[in-house]
Amino acid sequence: MNIPFRRITADPHPFVLEKNGMRIEGTLRKYRSGLVLLEATMQGSLDVDCYLCGDSFAIMPDEKVEFLISDGVFHGQDETYDVVEMHGDAIDLDEVFDSEIASIESDYHACPKCR
């Protein structure tokens, strides 16, 4: 799902994506010139590998996600939010969702047997 930056205003723009047992639901709104604030929650079931024994097991993430999306290269800093740069005049929510899932998968997870 691509949403052009120019369509995002100060009014929250709701979105929902579901993929492979995970769901992200939230809003996009203009933060300031060239920056969009994404506020969402991610929930669902995700298979991950135990970092100790290598066995696969399911976790149930329930995480709040907040960051800024920059329309192109971001010059500067924000004291409150991390900034993700996007190129091509549109926000690719599938890319954002996949990146957040990869971030959760890359954490160290211990299965119930190894805890």
Side-chain angles (χ1 to χ4, degrees):
M1 174 189 300
N2 287 335
I3 300 174
F5 275 97
R6 68 180 185 282
R7 289 186 56 199
I8 305 300
T9 66
D11 296 326
H13 182 98
F15 67 90
V16 177
L17 286 175
E18 294 183 1
K19 190 182 288 187
N20 301 330
M22 290 292 294
R23 174 186 175 98
I24 185 169
E25 180 173 6
T27 60
L28 297 167
R29 65 181 168 87
K30 188 171 186 171
Y31 184 71
R32 64 178 192 238
S33 180
L35 291 172
V36 170
L37 175 62
L38 180 144
E39 297 175 300
T41 56
M42 285 185 60
Q43 298 174 320
S45 177
L46 186 64
D47 288 336
V48 295
D49 294 330
C50 175
Y51 80 100
L52 295 170
C53 70
D55 286 350
S56 183
F57 67 103
I59 61 171
M60 306 294 280
D62 185 3
E63 297 189 10
K64 186 175 181 178
V65 179
E66 293 180 327
F67 56 84
L68 297 173
I69 302 171
S70 171
D71 184 6
V73 176
F74 178 68
H75 298 285
Q77 62 182 15
D78 189 273
E79 300 294 326
T80 308
Y81 301 104
D82 291 332
V83 178
V84 174
E85 296 177 347
M86 292 226 159
H87 304 279
D89 298 326
I91 298 168
D92 185 344
L93 285 175
D94 290 310
E95 181 180 331
V96 169
F97 193 26
D98 290 343
S99 175
E100 290 302 312
I101 289 173
S103 177
I104 293 170
E105 289 174 333
S106 69
D107 282 346
Y108 290 97
H109 301 281
C111 72
K113 292 184 300 188
C114 294
R115 287 185 200 147

